[in-house]
Amino acid sequence: MELALVVVVVALALGFDYTNGFHDAANAIATSVSTRALTPRAALLMAAVMNFTGALLGTEVAETIATSIVDLGDASPHQALVVVLCALVGAIVWNLITWWFGLPSSSTHALIGGLVGAGLAGGLMIYGSAIVDKVVLPMVFSPLIGFFLAFLVMVGLLWLIRNASPSRTTRRFRLAQTVSAAAMALGHGLQDAQKTMGVIFMALLTVGWANPEEGIPLWVKLAAATAISLGTYSGGWRIMRTLGRKIIELDPARGFVAESVSAVVLYVNAFALHAPVSTTHTITSAIMGVGATKRLSAVRWGVAKNIGIAWVLTIPAAAAVAALVYVMLSPFLS
């Protein structure tokens, strides 16, 4: 039974990774596509390649997911696998719901919410302080930093180019967006693919098929990197329209600043803080920040409010789905 559950968990984890790819593809390339710096297909291909590369650059976020959310030490291998399975179902369901409505919610927080909900339903201990330090605080501060940093950088950039030729400036920033979009896609792979690695690592640890001292096996890294890359290449057009057009009409300079600031926030959280932050929250807030430099009314705050509601609901909604799935499945999988 454990073997079958491990296979199902790995398959679901890679399925989640795939949905994460097409759900969050817009994070990296929506601004570049909306400003016509890149064609949609070229942008998706670039994002897929950079997602794959970013996924292989580190494991710090994966280890946070595997060891700092739910305490599986008191659970039997069987129960631990059921908890992980139900967490993935909760995360996937919420991803699909928000994708259907075109809302850029956080796959990161959907997964964390799923782990918390399934863990609580299974009577396991949750690492509350670690979740506050590495999930809740970054969830609050990363969008705020993204907004205000993007606003300040954009104000400074506008002052620097105040006397430049508009047409020449636009062409240059379209070229620059190729680099900033690639940097953002690299950060997306660095953050989001690692979360899937962490879940698979959790499953392998519970049955003794991985050694915590040796870290995450290479095949897990490659599988997660491949799944998120394929998902990214399949596209996420509904959410891309929301990020690229509905929040604000972006120009190349603002798109470049939003992507660059978002990439910096993602790298700092991954390498320095080991915190699993949301690429969605980061890029969306940065887009709002650069948009606010036009005038506050230029940002479509009604759309922003709907996105904010999805953000707030993500962890509890995914937790509720995962807990419900655990209650439904545990009698049959016991």
Side-chain angles (χ1 to χ4, degrees):
M1 175 66 86
E2 274 70 26
L3 173 61
L5 279 175
V6 170
V7 171
V8 172
V9 165
V10 171
L12 271 179
L14 294 177
F16 168 78
D17 207 19
Y18 182 86
T19 67
N20 191 340
F22 75 71
H23 189 277
D24 290 0
N27 295 347
I29 62 172
T31 56
S32 298
V33 172
S34 69
T35 61
R36 296 180 176 84
L38 294 168
T39 65
R41 194 52 60 187
L44 283 170
L45 179 59
M46 178 275 296
V49 172
M50 298 307 288
N51 271 192
F52 185 91
T53 305
L56 301 178
L57 290 183
T59 59
E60 292 85 356
V61 172
E63 288 162 7
T64 295
I65 292 291
T67 62
S68 301
I69 306 298
V70 181
D71 182 4
L72 299 178
D74 295 331
S76 67
H78 184 88
Q79 184 190 21
L81 289 170
V82 173
V83 166
V84 175
L85 186 153
C86 295
L88 286 165
V89 172
I92 290 171
V93 167
W94 185 248
N95 264 3
L96 293 175
I97 290 172
T98 51
W99 166 79
W100 179 257
F101 289 103
L103 294 174
S105 68
S106 169
S107 298
T108 300
H109 296 132
L111 179 58
I112 291 169
L115 287 169
V116 170
L120 290 174
L124 303 181
M125 189 184 84
I126 305 299
Y127 293 115
S129 60
I131 291 174
V132 170
D133 292 341
K134 293 193 175 184
V135 178
V136 177
L137 291 180
M139 179 177 72
V140 172
F141 286 109
S142 290
L144 291 175
I145 292 170
F147 180 92
F148 288 108
L149 185 57
F151 180 88
L152 293 173
V153 171
M154 193 66 222
V155 168
L157 182 63
L158 288 172
W159 184 83
L160 286 174
I161 62 174
R162 64 192 185 282
N163 296 322
S165 165
S167 59
R168 183 179 298 175
T169 300
T170 297
R171 286 197 303 272
R172 287 175 176 174
F173 276 109
R174 280 206 175 105
L175 290 174
Q177 269 200 280
T178 305
V179 178
S180 61
M184 179 67 193
L186 189 76
H188 180 230
L190 179 66
Q191 276 280 343
D192 285 34
Q194 283 198 49
K195 290 143 196 173
T196 299
M197 294 180 204
V199 171
I200 296 175
F201 192 41
M202 285 175 70
L204 297 178
L205 288 174
T206 60
V207 292
W209 292 359
N211 186 338
E213 301 299 324
E214 296 177 359
I216 298 173
L218 178 61
W219 73 265
V220 175
K221 297 177 186 179
L222 292 174
T226 301
I228 198 169
S229 299
L230 291 174
T232 297
Y233 189 68
S234 71
W237 306 109
R238 291 173 185 268
I239 295 169
M240 201 177 299
R241 283 193 292 270
T242 299
L243 284 178
R245 296 285 184 184
K246 290 185 180 179
I247 295 174
I248 186 172
E249 293 290 336
L250 286 168
D251 54 69
R254 286 180 170 81
F256 169 77
V257 170
E259 290 168 342
S260 300
V261 167
S262 299
V264 169
V265 172
L266 293 177
Y267 296 158
V268 170
N269 276 283
F271 289 123
L273 304 179
H274 304 169
V277 298
S278 167
T279 55
T280 306
H281 291 191
T282 306
I283 187 63
T284 305
S285 60
I287 289 172
M288 293 178 188
V290 298
T293 60
K294 288 185 175 180
R295 60 186 187 284
L296 286 177
S297 60
V299 179
R300 298 184 179 107
W301 296 106
V303 176
K305 182 187 75 172
N306 292 337
I307 293 170
I309 291 171
W311 287 2
V312 171
L313 289 177
T314 292
I315 289 180
V321 173
L324 180 62
V325 173
Y326 183 89
V327 170
M328 293 171 59
L329 291 184
S330 55
F332 301 100
L333 297 177
S334 59

